[in-house]
Amino acid sequence: MSILSGKNILLGVTAGIAAYKTAHLTRLFVRAGAQVKVVMTPKSMEFVTPLTLSTLSKNPVVSEFISHDEENETWNSHVELGLWADYFLVAPATANSLSKMVKGTADNLLIATYLSAKCPVYIAPAMDLDMYKHPSTTQNLDNLASFGNIIIPAETGELASGLIGEGRMAEPETIVAFMEQHIQKSLPLYGKNVLITAGPTYESIDPVRFIGNHSSGKMGFELAKQAAGMGANVVLIAGPSQQSCDDFPIKRIDVTSAQEMYEAVFQYYDQMHLVIAAAAVADYKPVEVASQKIKKSEDQLTLTLVKNPDILAAMGKVKKQQILVGFALETENELENALGKLKRKNLDAIVLNSLQDFGAGFQKDTNKVTFIDRFENKTTFALQSKKEVAKDIINQILTIYHV
Ligand code: C5P
């Protein structure tokens, strides 16, 4: 899945011959799963029609501060458009538009939108070789880069003028790949290895029965998705769960029992930077698994249970560079118990959720948690979706620790 999937991309088109390539560029963004809106300078519409770009982007194209149709006049808010964008790409960017962007000459909707945008702005210049090499242009590009904009360098090749040299707008595929890589690298967990455990474990009694719990795995899966969205290489070790993470670049390893989870975790633990144990691991398992289905002959049946390995505590014991975060699901003496686990298991943080909180806990789509760091600072978050909780937990980890 592309990092651009689900993102709002604003494409600014200025009046260079390379504008004809923006039709293909728009297609590539849409194919990557992005929402695309296009803002054009008035002159650029002589190179590519708004109809082409609105059809491909599936959104109206704007170019004037006020649009007129048969009945209405519509005010196109550059502020709204600028704030809508997660990423703004100006392609092609002519020498004229570069100069206006440097000076803030907001005499068209595109430049006004550029000045209003708070998101990362990518600029793909395109012009003839001598214009591209002119000190005015190079200085403008340097200035724009110093403002924090990201320049996608022009390429060398045959130019519309027939001359050969540097100044050709980067090819649409190159622009998309450039943006994807740049975004990926700027993510807070880029290059970090993150391990998440999720779901329940099932401890077999006989070939058909098991001891388990009501964990759905939702919290752990949301954490894994969030970490992947933040650029991490994620390994998700999941007990039996109906949850899916197919659309995410996550290495999912399915296990059934605590022992299997333990073994899977320690295959990866050494290389991890961050580990979050969200699994509801069964504390006990039957001392032996009956080889045949147990018959209901007696009125009472006694099962002898033995302790499972405490996976999290075992990780705490051999912790090196890893930031280690556990969960505590408590029904009484919540804080005291959570703090006890934090210390005993040698954790960097513990996420407490109380079954006493309405809307929190197993199977629910929402959760309410308190994050306690190793210095015993406590942050309580509101009741919210598990997706939002996952985001808060990872952001909190990143605020406190250097992962
Ligand atoms: O001690 P308790 O089971 O309440 O601790 C909960 C935390 O420990 C959770 O993060 C859970 O994933 C982890 N845990 C574990 N292995 C166990 C039991 C719990 O990793 N056997």
Side-chain angles (χ1 to χ4, degrees):
M1 193 182 68
S2 165
I3 193 86
L4 297 173
S5 173
K7 300 293 183 210
N8 293 341
I9 298 183
L10 182 60
L11 173 61
V13 182
T14 75
I17 179 62
Y20 82 92
K21 293 186 181 174
T22 57
H24 185 43
L25 192 52
T26 304
R27 285 282 290 144
L28 293 179
F29 284 138
V30 170
R31 207 176 294 158
Q35 284 82 249
V36 183
K37 289 189 181 177
V38 181
V39 54
M40 303 178 77
T41 62
K43 284 269 178 236
S44 72
M45 294 190 290
E46 293 173 21
F47 291 97
V48 59
T49 73
L51 180 62
T52 306
L53 297 181
S54 68
T55 308
L56 293 173
S57 66
K58 305 183 179 82
N59 273 310
V61 168
V62 288
S63 62
E64 304 284 352
F65 287 99
I66 295 171
S67 310
H68 307 266
D69 62 24
E70 283 145 25
E71 284 158 25
N72 301 309
E73 283 193 335
T74 316
W75 160 246
N76 295 316
S77 165
H78 53 282
V79 178
E80 260 172 40
L81 201 53
L83 294 180
W84 172 86
D86 292 314
Y87 303 104
F88 188 6
L89 165 68
V90 183
T94 57
N96 179 47
S97 288
L98 293 178
S99 166
K100 287 184 184 180
M101 288 165 85
V102 171
K103 291 279 178 228
T105 311
D107 63 353
N108 66 45
L109 185 63
L110 190 152
I111 306 290
T113 306
Y114 159 72
L115 293 173
S116 308
K118 287 193 178 159
C119 61
V121 178
Y122 294 83
I123 300 171
M127 62 202 75
D128 217 58
L129 76 166
D130 293 316
M131 289 174 88
Y132 191 61
K133 270 201 264 163
H134 196 284
S136 297
T137 306
T138 50
Q139 265 184 27
N140 283 338
L141 286 171
D142 288 348
N143 277 332
L144 287 167
S146 76
F147 300 162
N149 300 300
I150 307 113
I151 312 296
I152 306 177
E155 292 173 359
T156 303
E158 195 186 331
L159 301 161
S161 60
L163 298 173
I164 294 178
E166 203 179 358
R168 251 165 80 123
M169 186 178 84
E171 289 302 323
E173 283 81 0
T174 312
I175 292 179
V176 173
F178 182 103
M179 286 176 68
E180 284 174 335
Q181 262 182 32
H182 185 267
I183 295 165
Q184 195 79 36
K185 281 188 183 159
S186 57
L187 291 174
L189 284 173
Y190 175 74
K192 301 293 175 185
N193 300 330
V194 174
L195 181 110
I196 313 273
T197 69
T201 63
Y202 288 175
E203 311 300 327
S204 290
I205 298 170
D206 66 20
V208 283
R209 304 181 182 97
F210 60 83
I211 297 173
N213 59 63
H214 295 298
S215 168
S216 62
K218 279 179 195 155
M219 195 63 245
F221 274 68
E222 289 301 344
L223 283 161
K225 291 177 192 174
Q226 197 64 44
M230 289 181 172
N233 311 312
V234 181
V235 179
L236 170 66
I237 300 178
S241 166
Q242 300 301 315
Q243 302 299 307
S244 152
C245 57
D246 291 350
D247 294 340
F248 289 78
I250 291 173
K251 185 179 174 76
R252 173 177 174 170
I253 295 162
D254 288 310
V255 295
T256 305
S257 66
Q259 185 61 36
E260 282 172 26
M261 187 174 277
Y262 177 92
E263 283 160 23
V265 160
F266 278 98
Q267 269 187 24
Y268 294 94
Y269 186 60
D270 280 354
Q271 308 110 49
M272 293 298 133
H273 299 103
L274 169 65
V275 179
I276 309 179
V281 184
D283 291 327
Y284 292 93
K285 65 176 177 186
V287 69
E288 58 186 325
V289 182
S291 58
Q292 302 299 328
K293 188 180 170 195
I294 299 172
K295 297 278 178 239
K296 54 172 174 198
S297 44
E298 306 296 328
D299 281 349
Q300 288 195 350
L301 172 71
T302 304
L303 288 174
T304 307
L305 306 178
V306 286
K307 248 193 176 160
N308 263 326
D310 188 320
I311 306 165
L312 184 55
M315 286 192 273
K317 262 196 192 122
V318 294
K319 191 172 73 165
K320 292 192 184 89
Q321 78 284 353
Q322 299 90 346
I323 298 293
L324 191 53
V325 180
F327 268 71
L329 178 68
E330 303 293 337
T331 54
E332 56 183 356
N333 300 328
E334 289 94 340
L335 271 178
E336 200 183 314
N337 287 336
L339 282 171
K341 280 173 198 172
L342 179 80
K343 296 264 170 300
R344 220 169 36 248
K345 301 193 188 196
N346 190 26
L347 308 181
D348 297 292
I350 193 147
V351 181
L352 166 65
N353 44 135
S354 166
L355 276 190
Q356 286 178 10
D357 281 322
F358 173 79
F362 286 153
Q363 299 288 341
K364 304 256 171 50
D365 288 327
T366 53
N367 206 0
K368 183 174 188 313
V369 303
T370 301
F371 184 96
I372 309 169
D373 66 25
R374 81 162 93 92
F375 316 105
E376 301 190 15
N377 299 310
K378 300 170 196 72
T379 311
T380 299
F381 296 103
L383 178 72
Q384 49 192 350
S385 70
K386 286 187 172 168
K387 185 176 175 183
E388 291 299 320
V389 174
K391 199 170 170 185
D392 280 343
I393 290 173
I394 297 187
N395 280 334
Q396 190 71 10
I397 294 168
L398 291 175
T399 308
I400 300 171
Y401 301 112
H402 178 76
V403 174

